[in-house]
Amino acid sequence: MTKPADPAEDLARAAAIARGTLRLLADLGLCGIQEMTLANNRRADIAAIGPGGEIWMVEIKSGVPDFRSDSKWPEYIPFCDRFWFAVDHDFPQDLIPEEAGLIVADAFGAAVIREAPAEKLSPARRKAVILRLARLAAMRLSAAADAGWTASEAALTSSGL
Amino acid sequence: MTKPADPAEDLARAAAIARGTLRLLADLGLCGIQEMTLANNRRADIAAIGPGGEIWMVEIKSGVPDFRSDSKWPEYIPFCDRFWFAVDHDFPQDLIPEEAGLIVADAFGAAVIREAPAEKLSPARRKAVILRLARLAAMRLSAAADAGWTASEAALTSSGL
């Protein structure tokens, strides 16, 4: 596989993977948002919520260097029921650790290649993560609709679990 | 007060009240979304969620005719901790029933004129309302960001409480 040397290309690749992944999640019944900060200050690339309140998180990797430079991914696992990596079709799939599921995506769609192991959240943490997601998504919607918006996502900081 | 005869003017007035009200809610720490359908098929003009998961709903009235033609507002009350009417400064405030709080808004901001009585949701219903809000807001964000989006809000229909 080719390793992109160009940061702009890397970003475009990550955005394409994110779009395809969000479409897949929607097909599976999960509504996802991008870039959600967790109580441990990690920022999930995608956090998604299913019809029964199940929480999936997806870490997007634009390529091997991006994957190799990340040692923080295990810190998402305590905040979701299933944790996934999403990569494009050039990515060497055997690099993906067993603790994670694998999604392969392009800009138009995605597929589950390997199921993520399930580790159920505690009720208290599930409640906290859903609340955080609800407030963040609602605030972003309001900000997008209101040109003169002054509230900031920083106001959302809470004593989350 | 003058009663607008023009439906377009009525809509513009409602949109202005919604914007000012959402800004007020954000100042109070609540993140709101517009037009959320509830499990009883009523559609709340604004549903907002506070840092501890408290749920407020706001019914926007563009004028007296709009208020008088609505007999359905009591059906929002079982789905929130506090229920409010939001009106503009021309609206005769003594029409507002005691079961509701009163917000007066324009396009730039709003003020609480009378507190809404609090009636706490049951934990199960709170969970269902927060889940609905989270999924709806996340789905709208994704749809707004993705030009080729095909998923529909109808997919969110759930066996909510």
Side-chain angles (χ1 to χ4, degrees):
Chain A
M1 56 282 148
T2 50
K3 293 172 187 171
D6 179 0
E9 193 184 315
D10 236 33
L11 279 173
R13 194 179 293 232
I17 295 170
R19 190 170 85 158
T21 301
L22 284 166
R23 289 180 176 188
L24 168 68
L25 292 171
D27 284 345
L28 296 173
L30 288 101
C31 305
I33 64 169
Q34 295 187 59
E35 301 291 344
M36 185 169 92
T37 303
L38 308 176
N40 64 357
N41 286 323
R42 293 284 161 247
R43 193 165 243 250
D45 286 339
I46 294 176
I49 179 169
E54 49 288 32
I55 299 289
W56 291 10
M57 290 184 187
V58 184
E59 177 69 13
I60 293 167
K61 290 301 173 199
S62 58
V64 173
D66 183 20
F67 177 78
R68 290 215 194 276
S69 64
D70 174 13
S71 58
K72 298 169 300 186
W73 63 265
E75 298 180 38
Y76 300 115
I77 291 182
F79 291 89
C80 55
D81 297 302
R82 290 180 198 266
F83 174 75
W84 307 77
F85 282 100
V87 298
D88 70 11
H89 61 86
D90 290 333
F91 192 95
Q93 299 182 3
D94 45 3
L95 289 181
I96 301 296
E98 282 186 5
E99 297 91 328
L102 174 60
I103 290 168
V104 171
D106 61 22
F108 304 100
V112 168
I113 302 300
R114 197 179 71 212
E115 269 295 333
E119 178 102 38
K120 260 195 143 186
L121 288 172
S122 72
R125 180 159 284 176
R126 182 184 312 286
K127 195 170 149 184
V129 172
I130 292 174
L131 181 56
R132 187 176 282 254
L133 192 153
R135 283 169 54 79
L136 180 58
M139 189 169 215
R140 285 190 189 156
L141 271 181
S142 292
D146 181 344
W149 190 257
T150 56
S152 130
E153 281 187 15
L156 293 177
T157 307
S158 73
S159 60
L161 286 158
Chain B
M1 58 280 148
T2 49
K3 292 173 189 170
D6 178 359
E9 194 183 314
D10 236 33
L11 278 174
R13 193 178 294 232
I17 296 169
R19 191 169 83 156
T21 301
L22 284 167
R23 289 179 176 189
L24 168 68
L25 292 172
D27 284 345
L28 297 173
L30 289 100
C31 305
I33 65 169
Q34 295 187 59
E35 302 291 345
M36 185 169 92
T37 303
L38 308 176
N40 63 358
N41 286 323
R42 292 284 160 248
R43 194 166 242 250
D45 285 340
I46 293 176
I49 178 169
E54 48 290 30
I55 300 289
W56 291 11
M57 289 184 187
V58 184
E59 176 70 12
I60 293 166
K61 290 300 172 201
S62 58
V64 173
D66 183 20
F67 178 78
R68 290 216 194 277
S69 64
D70 174 13
S71 59
K72 297 169 299 185
W73 62 266
E75 298 180 39
Y76 301 115
I77 291 182
F79 291 90
C80 55
D81 297 302
R82 290 180 197 267
F83 175 75
W84 307 77
F85 283 100
V87 298
D88 70 11
H89 61 86
D90 290 333
F91 192 95
Q93 299 181 3
D94 45 2
L95 288 181
I96 301 296
E98 283 186 6
E99 296 91 328
L102 174 60
I103 290 168
V104 171
D106 62 21
F108 305 101
V112 168
I113 303 300
R114 198 179 71 210
E115 269 295 333
E119 178 102 39
K120 261 196 142 187
L121 288 172
S122 73
R125 181 160 284 177
R126 182 183 314 284
K127 195 170 147 185
V129 172
I130 292 175
L131 180 57
R132 188 177 282 253
L133 193 153
R135 283 169 53 80
L136 180 59
M139 190 169 213
R140 284 190 189 157
L141 271 181
S142 292
D146 182 343
W149 190 257
T150 55
S152 131
E153 282 187 15
L156 293 176
T157 306
S158 74
S159 59
L161 286 158

